[in-house]
């Protein structure tokens, strides 16, 4: 399951007072999911409970998970393994059907992608 789905309805926001990037991030929650009688995230001493710790861990991991995904997308973009095509078929009554806007894998590009993949392996977490 993608990290952004596991973290929903929470996300991290960059803190940029006066346009200066800060190392700390702000944990945000979708307002439609917030409720006064919702689940507690802190104990009576203000310490994070296990659920909040798990959410925070996932949110911290999310940016690190993006880099392998970016690398893989760059490899796919360089390889260009997809090509557009129009699917042509015939109805039982003989009426022709043309479905455009479809894509298929170019078989000859798969070997190139395989070679690129082995030369530049993407982090296994992606």
């Amino acid at each position: 399951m993608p990290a952004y789905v596991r973290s929903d309805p929470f996300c991290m926001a960059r803190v940029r007072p006066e346009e200066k990037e800060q190392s700390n991030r702000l944990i945000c929650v979708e307002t439609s999911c917030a409720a006064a009688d919702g689940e507690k995230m802190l104990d009576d001493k203000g310490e994070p409970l296990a659920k909040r710790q798990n959410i925070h861990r996932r949110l911290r991991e999310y940016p690190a998970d993006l880099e392998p995904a970016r690398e893989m997308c760059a490899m796919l973009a360089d390889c260009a393994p997809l090509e557009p095509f129009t699917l042509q078929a015939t109805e039982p009554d003989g009426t022709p059907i043309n479905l455009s806007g479809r894509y298929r894998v170019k078989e000859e590009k798969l070997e190139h992608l395989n070679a690129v993949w082995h030369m530049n392996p993407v982090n296994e977490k992606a």
Side-chain angles (χ1 to χ4, degrees):
M1 181 178 299
Y4 71 91
V5 173
R6 292 191 314 266
S7 299
D8 190 61
F10 300 94
C11 69
M12 294 283 267
R14 292 185 172 139
V15 180
R16 301 184 70 201
E18 300 176 14
E19 298 300 316
K20 294 179 183 172
E21 184 82 21
Q22 303 293 310
S23 61
N24 290 332
R25 300 289 186 254
L26 181 65
I27 296 177
C28 303
V29 63
E30 173 63 40
T31 54
S32 65
C33 296
D37 62 344
E39 188 173 348
K40 288 179 66 170
M41 294 288 163
L42 303 173
D43 66 16
D44 294 335
K45 295 179 185 175
E47 297 297 320
L49 294 171
K51 178 157 183 146
R52 193 229 179 245
Q53 290 173 338
N54 288 335
I55 290 167
H56 191 229
R57 179 186 44 78
R58 285 194 306 264
L59 291 171
R60 279 193 324 263
E61 291 170 354
Y62 180 66
D65 289 344
L66 289 176
E67 191 54 34
R70 283 188 189 109
E71 290 174 13
M72 187 169 33
C73 288
M75 282 191 281
L76 286 170
D78 288 344
C79 179
L82 300 178
E83 65 181 354
F85 80 102
T86 299
L87 177 67
Q88 299 175 340
T90 306
E91 293 275 358
D93 68 0
T95 305
I97 300 172
N98 290 316
L99 299 172
S100 60
R102 305 290 190 253
Y103 290 85
R104 63 181 169 205
V105 174
K106 295 183 206 174
E107 294 289 332
E108 64 274 9
K109 295 288 187 169
L110 287 180
E111 274 306 311
H112 176 70
L113 182 59
N114 193 29
V116 169
W117 183 270
H118 288 294
M119 288 183 343
N120 302 305
V122 174
N123 183 328
E124 292 181 13
K125 289 177 90 177

